[in-house]
Amino acid sequence: MTDRDSNNRILIVGTIPEMCADRRAKGSLSCSDPDGQHEGEFSQLETLLIERRAQTRDLPDGFRIHTALDEGGAIEMVRQAVARKKPYALAFVGIDTSPGVESFDTIERMWETDPELQIVVCSADAGTAWIECTERLGHSDRLLLLRKPFDHAEVWQVALSLIEKWNLGRQASVKLDEMHEIARATNEKLHEQIKKRAEVEEELRYLAYHDQVTGLPNRVYLLDRIEQCIARSHRVPGYRYAVLYLDLDNFKLVNDSMGHDCGDKLLQDVAQRLRTCMRTIDTVARIEEDVAARVGGDEFIVLLEGLHDLKDSARVAERFIEVLGRPFRLDGREITICASIGIATSERKYVRAQEVLRDADTAMYRAKSRGKGRYAIFDPEMHEAAKRRLEIESKLRDAICHEQFQIAYQPIVDVRSSELVGFEALFRCHLPGIETTPQEIINIAEETGLIMQMGCWVFRRACQDFRTWLDKFPHAGDLRISINLSRRELVDDDLIESVRSTLHETNVPVGQVCIEITESGIIENGDRAIVRLRELRGLGAQLHMDDFGTGYSSLSCLHTFPLDAVKIDRAFTATMTKDTRYIAVVKAIVTLCRALGMRVTVEGIETPEQLELVDSLGCDLAQGFLFARPMSSEAVQDLLRSTPDRLMAA
Ligand code: C2E
Ligand code: MG
Ligand code: MG
């Protein structure tokens, strides 16, 4: 409140002149209009107040004095002043003890109209008047008694103090209002912040519990739900639950070849399909993290709660496999994927959710190893297998770090003449403290991706050894070297460049290098494999389809692949002599390969009978323990040294 706003308005209620007049009054009060247009004579009181104006520095404008002739007029003036927001700071009201009752009424009504108004009661009979006054109006800091006759200084002092008090009170109240306003605004801001914070927390909670791509609950949420199921299964007899661990076969291929957006869309479609064949109480979640050291992203978990029969979990798995096996439309193309599912159930008394997930994951791994689109229910033996797998993987990583590998070379001979025509390079690695086979190591290396480094090493070393033999033994000039390439290497984008540079650096005759790729590796990668095979052929290398007859027996599509030879798997060879139906199949393979200009190699020849049989069937080349076991590079050199005619004894 500024000085200009300060209140200096005083009302003098007209009964005073009479009171003033009765003793020392020098003048009489007259009524003035509320705008302060004084007319008539000033009262003694007014005169006193106005006389002092010049002497006050606190109120440069002095007092603004209005007078009311009667009590009714006084109340009206107070009302109008309040309405105009120019209230009076104080009013002088004269009372006479005998008819004082009306004056008190007036004061009460003035206060009803303006509760802040300060009243100075003027009376000649101070003692009685004050007693009567306080009995009627009570004690209040807005009520003061001024005894007549007036003392100049006293009147002025009272007026000035009360004006000052009123203004200070008003200032305090304005300040208070301001503080209230600040407090209100601060409060509002605080509320806003609290609300925002709650929203952010909600968002964070959502993010913490949901997968961003599919909107499905994530691992954290799921673990919590599984914990609840575990607790319930301990509490409620007969309560059953099952966890299905789903892994999408071929997802990586889609992601790599069609881009991450398509991959995400596929995951969303998968989530949608899963949801449609679940009950509402079941939960499906997506796992983004690395589980059991396998990079995830294409893994879903389904929690089936409150099952009547645990066998239902297998039925659900079958339904998922069927539903996910239907083609998906992505980017205008039809994509087929399938799921491998592992199941862990409350049959085993789990204590922690992690254990359930671990076992379901182990079972999923088993399902995958049986072929795509299968499910498997966990049993403890699987756990042991998974532990072993992890141990092998970790030891293999160590071996890779220290390049603790060797290559064993197995001779390949001409069936008819028994002449040595080449060697197959076979990876060997001794893992300390664990009995394992090369096949097991290769499988784990494929699953974990370690095969990429190993394969590169084998290719280079085999080419180097081959170069050495050619240089040392002129009669070995037309020998061939066969090198295995895994399915993972086949689809690797850097493959062609890596093979080209190794062939160039080791300076081997490219036409004598045979690359063996398994039948399954070729079939599963379809068009992609064909492109890769053509590129490899473009480098000048020969291509052999390995392990023919183990799974797909892709006789009907053999002609679609650019191949130079087919290698009949040793398992096929073993059964051939026992089951004559296999003989007919080999016959058909040989006939077809002849027609397509391919040669046929037979693996796993262990007996002279087997050799005789494959000879009679028209197979070209043979490989097996009957001729020689895989041997070191030094042993190969000894063999070449000792057989100038390259004839191998069968
Ligand atoms: P594969 O390419 O079919 O290799 C032939 C396998 O048959 C070799 O097993 C060999 O030791 C075995 N074998 C040869 N003759 C006989 C026989 O008369 N009787 C029996 N029972 N087995 C015989 P190995 O060395 O255990 O290799 C297993 C598989 O591991 C290979 O099968 C190949 O698929 C894979 N592999 C080996 N080395 C490499 C490699 O450097 N890279 C890749 N990608 N795979 C490799
Ligand atoms: Mg092979
Ligand atoms: Mg083979």
Side-chain angles (χ1 to χ4, degrees):
M1 203 160 103
T2 62
D3 280 350
R4 268 173 1 111
D5 302 329
S6 68
N7 186 359
N8 57 355
R9 287 177 289 278
I10 297 175
L11 179 66
I12 297 174
V13 183
T15 48
I16 297 171
E18 292 145 39
M19 290 161 43
C20 297
D22 68 335
R23 287 199 199 122
R24 287 174 40 190
K26 285 189 184 147
S28 63
L29 278 177
S30 61
C31 185
S32 77
D33 66 13
D35 294 319
Q37 295 289 312
H38 287 272
E39 286 168 10
E41 293 173 62
F42 281 176
S43 72
Q44 179 201 15
L45 199 54
E46 279 179 289
T47 317
L48 291 177
L49 291 169
I50 289 162
E51 271 176 4
R52 300 295 295 231
R53 177 191 294 183
Q55 301 170 23
T56 169
R57 264 178 286 135
D58 303 331
L59 280 173
D61 294 339
F63 303 117
R64 282 186 77 79
I65 298 161
H66 297 166
T67 57
L69 282 181
D70 56 31
E71 293 171 341
I75 292 160
E76 179 55 21
M77 284 172 73
V78 169
R79 193 191 61 73
Q80 282 185 24
V82 169
R84 281 205 303 266
K85 296 202 181 351
K86 288 187 174 225
Y88 293 105
L90 69 140
F92 286 94
V93 181
I95 57 162
D96 199 346
T97 42
S98 43
V101 177
E102 286 117 60
S103 302
F104 291 142
D105 281 351
T106 308
I107 290 171
E108 275 176 339
R109 290 180 61 199
M110 281 161 78
W111 270 346
E112 273 166 26
T113 314
D114 181 358
E116 285 175 42
L117 184 65
Q118 306 175 98
I119 307 278
V120 181
V121 172
C122 307
S123 172
D125 178 9
T128 332
W130 185 241
I131 291 165
E132 218 177 310
C133 194
T134 51
E135 268 174 7
R136 202 38 220 280
L137 302 170
H139 290 279
S140 159
D141 68 336
R142 291 168 303 158
L143 188 65
L144 205 82
L145 181 78
L146 191 64
R147 189 209 296 256
K148 294 199 293 187
F150 298 129
D151 174 89
H152 286 212
E154 197 178 13
V155 168
W156 181 80
Q157 194 61 47
V158 163
L160 193 66
S161 309
L162 290 179
I163 287 278
E164 183 72 4
K165 179 169 162 272
W166 193 97
N167 282 320
L168 283 174
R170 176 50 64 96
Q171 272 174 25
S173 136
V174 167
K175 202 87 218 144
L176 209 67
D177 283 354
E178 278 173 16
M179 280 162 74
H180 266 135
E181 180 51 30
I182 291 170
R184 197 197 52 74
T186 312
N187 235 355
E188 206 168 81
K189 223 168 166 180
L190 217 65
H191 266 108
E192 197 60 33
Q193 281 174 357
I194 290 170
K195 205 172 131 206
K196 256 203 194 120
R197 199 192 161 123
E199 281 167 11
V200 169
E201 274 173 3
E202 184 57 40
E203 174 79 14
L204 283 176
R205 215 185 338 269
Y206 181 85
L207 290 177
Y209 286 111
H210 289 83
D211 158 50
Q212 297 313 291
V213 176
T214 59
L216 291 177
N218 64 10
R219 182 185 173 82
V220 181
Y221 178 90
L222 187 90
L223 285 174
D224 191 52
R225 285 298 287 257
I226 298 177
E227 297 278 355
Q228 288 173 27
C229 284
I230 293 173
R232 192 147 179 214
S233 71
H234 291 300
R235 236 178 22 244
V236 183
Y239 179 80
R240 299 177 188 91
Y241 66 89
V243 168
L244 274 61
Y245 202 120
L246 244 114
D247 185 278
L248 302 181
D249 303 319
N250 284 354
F251 173 75
K252 199 175 174 307
L253 208 66
V254 174
N255 220 20
D256 291 350
S257 60
M258 297 181 69
H260 289 281
D261 287 349
C262 274
D264 286 356
K265 172 78 172 56
L266 180 60
L267 291 175
Q268 285 156 8
D269 290 353
V270 166
Q272 186 51 33
R273 284 196 193 176
L274 291 177
R275 268 190 289 234
T276 53
C277 46
M278 277 169 45
R279 300 168 305 167
T280 45
I281 60 159
D282 299 328
T283 309
V284 55
R286 182 173 163 244
I287 300 281
E288 291 165 291
E289 297 99 308
D290 191 2
V291 178
R294 220 188 29 255
V295 179
D298 54 354
E299 288 157 345
F300 292 84
I301 311 283
V302 177
L303 168 64
L304 306 174
E305 298 187 37
L307 290 174
H308 291 299
D309 187 340
L310 286 175
K311 286 195 194 95
D312 290 346
S313 60
R315 278 191 276 277
V316 175
E318 278 165 7
R319 199 162 70 225
F320 283 158
I321 289 169
E322 190 266 312
V323 165
L324 296 180
R326 296 180 203 153
F328 288 84
R329 263 209 102 65
L330 275 184
D331 220 7
R333 284 169 62 182
E334 274 205 349
I335 304 291
T336 311
I337 55 162
C338 53
S340 298
I341 302 178
I343 305 173
T345 71
S346 51
E347 199 169 30
R348 283 173 69 78
K349 294 280 167 250
Y350 289 106
V351 179
R352 294 191 51 235
Q354 290 281 10
E355 296 165 358
V356 190
L357 276 193
R358 180 202 61 201
D359 286 356
D361 179 41
T362 303
M364 187 280 292
Y365 170 74
R366 175 59 60 91
K368 228 180 194 8
S369 70
R370 287 179 188 158
K372 296 182 174 186
R374 308 278 178 96
Y375 73 86
I377 299 173
F378 178 80
D379 73 56
E381 169 273 318
M382 289 181 188
H383 185 51
E384 290 309 311
K387 259 171 57 187
R388 176 182 167 82
R389 198 176 134 261
L390 271 179
E391 196 184 340
I392 292 178
E393 185 190 332
S394 118
K395 290 192 168 161
L396 191 55
R397 283 183 195 276
D398 281 351
I400 288 175
C401 279
H402 304 103
E403 286 209 350
Q404 289 166 335
F405 314 134
Q406 297 84 41
I407 299 184
Y409 295 96
Q410 186 174 35
I412 301 172
V413 298
D414 184 285
V415 171
R416 216 137 286 155
S417 63
S418 292
E419 186 195 346
L420 176 69
V421 295
F423 291 91
E424 177 177 7
L426 296 161
F427 173 83
R428 293 288 179 266
C429 172
H430 172 69
L431 300 178
I434 192 159
E435 278 297 314
T436 174
T437 63
Q439 185 71 64
E440 190 179 16
I441 294 179
I442 293 288
N443 290 348
I444 291 171
E446 278 223 19
E447 284 154 19
T448 52
L450 295 174
I451 193 76
M452 307 301 287
Q453 285 157 277
M454 288 161 51
C456 235
W457 183 89
V458 170
F459 201 88
R460 177 170 294 272
R461 173 54 64 89
C463 287
Q464 286 166 345
D465 286 346
F466 186 44
R467 183 69 257 169
T468 307
W469 308 335
L470 296 180
D471 291 344
K472 279 194 177 171
F473 305 99
H475 70 287
D478 63 345
L479 282 182
R480 299 207 177 102
I481 183 81
S482 293
I483 305 170
N484 294 285
L485 202 72
S486 79
R487 70 194 68 197
R488 236 172 144 144
E489 288 171 279
L490 181 65
V491 292
D492 179 41
D493 289 338
D494 300 330
L495 173 75
I496 301 302
E497 199 35 56
S498 158
V499 170
R500 189 206 311 274
S501 64
T502 307
L503 291 173
H504 180 75
E505 283 164 28
T506 51
N507 191 28
V508 289
V510 183
Q512 288 163 240
V513 175
C514 310
I515 295 176
E516 294 189 5
I517 304 153
T518 59
E519 185 189 15
S520 54
I522 293 176
I523 304 286
E524 279 164 21
N525 289 302
D527 293 350
R528 247 180 140 197
I530 297 180
V531 172
R532 264 305 134 79
L533 293 177
R534 288 211 181 105
E535 288 173 333
L536 285 171
R537 240 201 180 171
L539 296 177
Q542 291 205 25
L543 301 180
H544 295 184
M545 185 188 263
D546 204 353
D547 297 356
F548 193 80
T550 43
Y552 297 85
S553 299
S554 47
L555 272 179
S556 57
C557 54
L558 211 52
H559 67 281
T560 54
F561 304 111
L563 296 167
D564 300 286
V566 162
K567 283 185 93 168
I568 296 175
D569 190 69
R570 60 185 187 276
F572 210 90
T573 312
T575 33
M576 200 162 56
T577 36
K578 294 180 209 124
D579 188 337
T580 50
R581 284 173 303 171
Y582 283 74
I583 297 173
V585 177
V586 176
K587 226 176 190 161
I589 295 171
V590 173
T591 311
L592 186 67
C593 286
R594 287 266 171 283
L596 294 171
M598 297 181 202
R599 284 182 304 159
V600 178
T601 308
V602 187
E603 282 180 358
I605 299 294
E606 293 181 351
T607 64
E609 293 74 35
Q610 285 170 335
L611 181 62
E612 211 170 297
L613 185 61
V614 297
D615 187 13
S616 71
L617 291 171
C619 299
D620 304 286
L621 305 173
Q623 183 181 345
F625 296 167
L626 180 67
F627 299 105
R629 288 185 177 252
M631 58 186 81
S632 67
S633 176
E634 292 71 34
V636 167
Q637 295 186 36
D638 290 344
L639 176 69
L640 289 173
R641 207 170 286 118
S642 62
T643 54
D645 54 3
R646 290 188 359 206
L647 286 181
M648 300 283 294

